[in-house]
Amino acid sequence: MNRPSALRALWDPHAVATALVLAAFVVVGASFDANDSAVWFAGSVGAAVGSGLVVLGLGAALFVPLTLLFRWLDGRRAVPEPASFRETARRRLLPTAGAILAGWLPWLLVHAPGNVDSDTITQRLQWMGLLEQTDHHPWFDTMVFGWFWDLGSALGDDRIGLFAFLLLQEAATAAGAALVLTYLGWLGMARPIRWTLTAAVAVLPVFMAAPSVMSKDAFAAVFWLPFLVLFVEAVRTRGRVLLSARVGVVALAIVIPLILAKRTNVYLVVVCAVVLLVICARRARLRVAAGTAGALLVTNVVWPLLVLPAIGIAPGTATDMLTIPVQQTARIVAEHGDEIPADERAVIDAVLRYDGLGEAYVPRRSDAVKGRWNLEAGSEERLAYARVWLAQVIRYPGTALSATAANTFEYFAPVTPMIFQSGIVLDRYLDFWEARALPTTTRAEIEAAIEDLHEPAALDDARLAVNRATESLAEGNLLSSKAFYASWVPLIALAYAIRRRSPLHVLAVSPLLVNLAFLVASPVALPRYILPLVYGSVLAIGMMLTPVRWQNREDDLAPAAPAPLTESDATPG
């Protein structure tokens, strides 16, 4: 008599759905990892049936740990801090940041003066006046990087400027991670769990190596973590935290550089603002609307239309978010070029040079195809292309989906590790920079700009040993995979939030899902693009362990401490 009820107790539809989705990611990703196509799971009826069985088997294997995880989380009880957040931060923020920084600094010291992304060298050459100065790579980043390069030059060694920047970037990022962990502890996450997460952030290579690279993505991450805490607290308090003038100023100080450092963050900020306008108490809505409008005015009008032209910086291109349509068009041309009518070819050619388009297609990187985009195409030509693109997607849906899957599968299937730069190798980009240099720039000037950026020979053996150990640890390790941070953690957190019927926890994970959408639209699955989700995973995991509830709309309480929990708050309804 008890057997059916026992089976029902074990059955968890949220764990089932999540397990099957993740299993499907693995199967699809394995196929595209092997041959950039769906042939393994959709090449024939037999392949489809076999893949379906594999998905069911993997789903069953994943269902068990997910069910155990969800049930363990159900049993967590939070004890919110009675003190104000300011008092909690005063006691915990610096020790937590210090512990994280202590874990990160050895990596930076072994890899001194630190690493630099090739795009950042492009920005350095622009700052030096050797390349055209544009806002393609955000000039805000170029300017900040340039100040540190100038510092190094003034001191006689460019590496000093690089190391000084990375030291500050590591300290600021560690402080942001400590802010997240302190906030979670204030909400009631148990101390052993908080210190376990702190240790993980301090010693896992995926966290340790990222802030030791000078790149626009690592720089933007400095502002991302405080933004996450601010957003979640604004959601939890229905916007009341933003009624404080001091918090409002801090919010603008975070949001404005967050957008200037990485332009796609403007969409993130808008989405988060819309969420707050929907759920906020009436008194807070005006503050949210005014603050968002002010930030957008500075970042999308004053900076690009007034400041940059005044200092001679050309506008950036608008092709960064075109990966999905142009890759789909290129793959359709590569596979079905003979079937495309002349009128459609002409429309494509007006915006995306048709001759050689199929040959230019690279499944896992859209740069070659995006580079063919006609920046002078008018709105009518772009609209005509959009109609042709949609018609071809409807006509060849499998090819179109394969184009996007080939470009993004690494974000969903744990088949490739997160391995950041571990050495400065720049000579291979010389031809690229020379081809884009100003007519007055010589190759010798470009070589001189990078020749001093090398690691001390005395650290070669230590650096080689650390790099080998890190790469060995990353291979086949789920916790080091791109997919674990890009999609698995956010989707598991979302599934558990839905399971516990907590709108607060659903909304808390929404900024991570917006960043996942950015990844799908990105040109290539680089580890640095995933950084917001790597750091955001700490908040997502911590929120699953923090069954705090939000304030009601009619509450008029100051958000000094989390609302007390009840049994219904701590378990699914």
Side-chain angles (χ1 to χ4, degrees):
M1 292 295 292
N2 293 331
R3 188 170 301 169
S5 61
L7 290 175
R8 281 196 298 271
L10 289 173
W11 178 256
D12 188 332
H14 300 88
V16 170
T18 307
L20 289 176
V21 168
L22 298 181
F25 287 166
V26 173
V27 171
V28 173
S31 180
F32 279 91
D33 186 43
N35 49 48
D36 294 318
S37 76
V39 66
W40 275 17
F41 66 90
S44 65
V45 174
V49 171
S51 296
L53 294 174
V54 173
V55 168
L56 291 175
L58 283 176
L62 290 169
F63 167 74
V64 175
L66 282 173
T67 299
L68 294 175
L69 172 64
F70 287 172
R71 293 192 178 281
W72 179 75
L73 291 172
D74 289 345
R76 299 303 92 198
R77 295 293 184 271
V79 181
E81 288 276 344
S84 67
F85 179 69
R86 183 183 303 177
E87 175 62 22
T88 300
R90 187 188 66 79
R91 290 187 290 108
R92 292 183 177 173
L93 187 62
L94 285 180
T96 305
I100 293 172
L101 190 58
W104 290 357
L105 277 178
W107 177 279
L108 177 60
L109 294 174
V110 167
H111 293 84
N115 294 305
V116 58
D117 186 73
S118 61
D119 282 351
T120 309
I121 296 298
T122 299
Q123 294 171 277
R124 170 168 164 77
L125 296 175
Q126 290 179 350
W127 181 256
M128 297 173 66
L130 301 178
L131 270 65
E132 181 186 7
Q133 295 182 327
T134 77
D135 194 39
H136 175 71
H137 301 300
W139 188 257
F140 179 74
D141 302 352
T142 303
M143 180 177 65
V144 173
F145 297 159
W147 293 338
F148 283 89
W149 292 122
D150 289 349
L151 171 66
S153 297
L155 296 174
D157 191 334
D158 291 341
R159 295 177 298 177
I160 296 177
L162 174 61
F163 184 80
F165 172 82
L166 292 176
L167 189 61
L168 288 176
Q169 180 171 271
E170 285 211 347
T173 308
L179 178 66
V180 172
L181 290 160
T182 301
Y183 177 68
L184 291 169
W186 180 67
L187 291 181
M189 189 172 69
R191 180 179 297 181
I193 295 175
R194 178 167 57 85
W195 280 112
T196 298
L197 284 177
T198 301
V201 172
V203 303
L204 287 179
V206 70
F207 291 96
M208 188 189 308
S212 70
V213 180
M214 180 189 273
S215 73
K216 54 192 174 186
D217 301 274
F219 179 50
V222 169
F223 310 100
W224 158 248
L225 286 170
F227 173 81
L228 267 183
V229 171
L230 180 66
F231 173 73
V232 173
E233 181 61 7
V235 169
R236 189 189 72 82
T237 62
R238 301 280 195 171
R240 286 175 180 79
V241 68
L242 300 175
L243 293 176
S244 164
R246 181 180 298 176
V247 173
V249 171
V250 170
L252 286 175
I254 293 170
V255 169
I256 289 174
L258 177 71
I259 297 174
L260 291 179
K262 193 172 181 180
R263 283 190 296 269
T264 52
N265 283 334
V266 69
Y267 306 110
L268 170 72
V269 169
V270 169
V271 170
C272 292
V274 170
V275 168
L276 292 177
L277 288 173
V278 170
I279 67 155
C280 275
R282 185 177 298 121
R283 287 189 302 141
R285 291 176 187 166
L286 181 60
R287 185 65 60 89
V288 171
T292 304
L296 295 180
L297 178 66
V298 171
T299 58
N300 288 267
V301 178
V302 175
W303 179 258
L305 302 182
L306 298 178
V307 175
L308 294 185
I311 59 178
I313 307 303
T317 60
T319 61
D320 288 344
M321 301 298 286
L322 292 174
T323 286
I324 291 177
V326 300
Q327 283 289 86
Q328 291 179 344
T329 295
R331 185 155 181 149
I332 288 171
V333 170
E335 295 186 8
H336 307 283
D338 295 340
E339 305 168 18
I340 297 176
D343 60 331
E344 290 187 357
R345 295 186 184 191
V347 169
I348 295 171
D349 187 60
V351 297
L352 195 64
R353 186 159 33 94
Y354 190 90
D355 184 36
L357 180 59
E359 291 77 7
Y361 172 68
V362 177
R364 303 187 190 186
R365 194 178 191 114
S366 68
D367 290 338
V369 174
K370 284 195 311 175
R372 306 169 71 87
W373 185 262
N374 179 11
L375 298 175
E376 298 179 359
S379 57
E380 291 186 5
E381 292 170 316
R382 296 183 184 189
L383 184 59
Y385 166 70
R387 287 194 292 265
V388 168
W389 164 72
L390 182 59
Q392 290 186 344
V393 168
I394 294 173
R395 195 185 313 150
Y396 307 108
T399 305
L401 288 173
S402 291
T404 300
N407 216 79
T408 60
F409 72 90
E410 294 177 73
Y411 297 134
F412 299 94
V415 294
T416 49
M418 288 277 293
I419 297 179
F420 292 96
Q421 289 171 262
S422 55
I424 300 178
V425 182
L426 299 172
D427 291 347
R428 58 179 174 158
Y429 299 105
L430 279 171
D431 292 341
F432 173 86
W433 291 318
E434 185 179 19
R436 287 157 178 78
L438 294 173
T440 55
T441 299
T442 66
R443 187 180 181 91
E445 288 177 309
I446 297 174
E447 291 175 339
I450 65 173
E451 65 181 358
D452 290 334
L453 298 178
H454 57 81
E455 304 95 336
L459 295 174
D460 284 351
D461 291 340
R463 189 168 51 251
L464 181 61
V466 169
N467 292 345
R468 284 178 174 174
T470 302
E471 292 173 9
S472 175
L473 180 65
E475 287 297 332
N477 181 355
L478 177 64
L479 295 181
S480 296
S481 70
K482 296 176 181 177
F484 180 76
Y485 300 96
S487 61
W488 283 45
V489 168
L491 292 177
I492 291 172
L494 177 63
Y496 186 65
I498 294 172
R499 180 182 188 275
R500 77 200 299 180
R501 301 179 187 177
S502 172
L504 166 62
H505 290 79
V506 170
L507 294 177
V509 80
S510 62
L512 277 67
L513 300 177
V514 173
N515 271 277
L516 178 56
F518 292 163
L519 293 182
V520 173
S522 61
V524 58
L526 292 178
R528 62 182 172 89
Y529 292 163
I530 309 174
L531 276 182
L533 289 153
V534 171
Y535 295 130
S537 67
V538 180
L539 182 77
I541 292 170
M543 287 299 292
M544 286 193 289
L545 293 156
T546 309
V548 68
R549 64 181 175 90
W550 61 12
Q551 293 180 358
N552 296 323
R553 281 186 191 275
E554 63 270 23
D555 285 345
D556 209 18
L557 301 173
L565 298 174
T566 65
E567 183 70 17
S568 60
D569 294 320
T571 57

